[in-house]
Amino acid sequence: MDIPRIFNISESAHRIHNPFTPDKLATLGAALHLEAGSRVLDLASGSGEMLCTWARDHGITGTGVDLSRLFSEQARQRAEALGVAHQVNFIHADAAAYVSADKVDVAACLGATWIGGGVAGTIKLLAQSLRPGGIILIGEPYWRQLPATEDIAQACLAESIAEFLTLPALLASFSHLGYDVVEMVLANQDSWDRYEAAQWLTLRRWLDANPDDELAEEIRTRLATRPERYAAYIREYLGWGVFALMQR
Ligand code: SAH
């Protein structure tokens, strides 16, 4: 089992598979006042950058679960490189039903809330692994400005306007689920560029190396159209943030 190949290609050079830069990830880690030995669970952990750098910087221990074989392997290599392989563990598996045997202090899902069928379902899933008084981290897009039409929403790669909320509405939705929002760190347009624009060179290099691959035509089209679409829509309309939540 694996994720669609296109992501393993377009994000193969990414350490962070969401619109956060390393400094924003570090800001989030510092903002949570993590104590050494804190246990962190990361569902859809990607290439493991959050767990590995927080293990190095804050002495946490962690488990990451991800469906991409490539990203999970990159996460293990990153842990070795940062000298934290004894603190973190990466499992190649579907995170949709993953509940940890021992309760954790922080349970996170950054940029993959479809694993729980949306934000509410993912919070429920994470809560099953969390100790009382622990913190849930949700990384999720929101509308910086509401699209006037469904076509604009789809140009932002959303299924519909209703798929995302505005930032105030997203914060209110956490409250309605019975959670206090206790911290947040937001992406900005520059950090979005590091996620999106950083894929274009990867795509171009892959195309040069794999001109006859079955995905070559799709990737050629993507590279030719995506920068303009990104600048006109995604960059203007979509925000992204990580929200720290504690149950009331
Ligand atoms: N949280 C990581 C990755 C976010 S990108 C980061 O911020 O860098 C979304 C991730 O979800 C990808 O790594 C993808 O492989 C993973 N993924 C998608 N479906 C999944 C599933 N059902 N179970 C586990 N991981 C999944």
Side-chain angles (χ1 to χ4, degrees):
M1 227 167 130
D2 211 308
I3 57 171
R5 202 170 150 233
I6 179 83
F7 298 110
N8 282 327
I9 295 170
S10 62
E11 298 186 26
S12 61
H14 281 50
R15 281 204 177 123
I16 302 175
H17 304 267
N18 69 51
F20 258 15
T21 43
D23 61 305
K24 286 188 180 285
L25 205 51
T27 297
L28 178 65
L32 297 175
H33 302 286
L34 298 163
E35 286 176 17
S38 297
R39 294 147 305 171
V40 182
L41 173 68
D42 189 9
L43 297 186
S45 45
S47 298
E49 191 67 2
M50 182 177 86
L51 289 180
C52 290
T53 54
W54 290 3
R56 178 194 61 193
D57 299 341
H58 303 290
I60 61 117
T61 63
T63 298
V65 183
D66 200 280
L67 202 48
S68 165
R69 222 173 268 286
L70 173 72
F71 298 167
S72 303
E73 186 47 38
Q74 287 175 343
R76 289 186 201 107
Q77 287 173 11
R78 185 71 171 143
E80 289 287 345
L82 295 188
V84 296
H86 58 292
Q87 286 164 260
V88 294
N89 173 33
F90 292 100
I91 301 169
H92 172 248
D94 187 351
Y98 188 90
V99 176
S100 65
D102 296 323
K103 304 271 188 219
V104 298
D105 302 294
V106 178
C109 178
L110 272 49
T113 51
W114 59 83
I115 66 167
V119 169
T122 299
I123 289 175
K124 260 195 191 148
L125 172 63
L126 293 169
Q128 293 176 55
S129 296
L130 195 68
R131 71 159 169 82
I135 289 179
I136 286 180
L137 299 177
I138 291 284
E140 182 71 3
Y142 58 86
W143 295 120
R144 293 178 64 221
Q145 45 173 320
L146 261 184
T149 65
E150 292 292 344
D151 281 352
I152 294 176
Q154 281 162 20
C156 296
L157 307 177
E159 269 171 29
S160 65
I161 298 172
E163 186 176 352
F164 303 126
L165 301 170
T166 61
L167 180 57
L170 180 58
L171 295 171
S173 78
F174 295 132
S175 182
H176 292 147
L177 291 169
Y179 283 83
D180 288 326
V181 181
V182 296
E183 252 296 2
M184 72 176 188
V185 178
L186 302 181
N188 58 26
Q189 287 175 307
D190 291 340
S191 69
W192 263 99
D193 295 347
R194 291 306 83 228
Y195 176 57
E196 172 67 28
Q199 296 178 33
W200 306 338
L201 183 59
T202 304
L203 291 177
R204 174 55 201 260
R205 295 248 194 269
W206 183 90
L207 268 176
D208 288 347
N210 301 277
D212 301 323
D213 191 281
E214 59 179 14
L215 281 185
E217 200 179 320
E218 180 186 336
I219 290 186
R220 160 89 346 258
T221 305
R222 178 185 283 228
L223 182 58
T225 56
R226 198 55 179 260
E228 191 180 335
R229 177 181 189 166
Y230 170 68
Y233 299 106
I234 300 170
R235 195 173 196 274
E236 290 305 312
Y237 283 90
L238 268 187
W240 196 85
V242 178
F243 306 92
L245 314 173
M246 291 178 74
Q247 193 164 31
R248 266 186 216 121

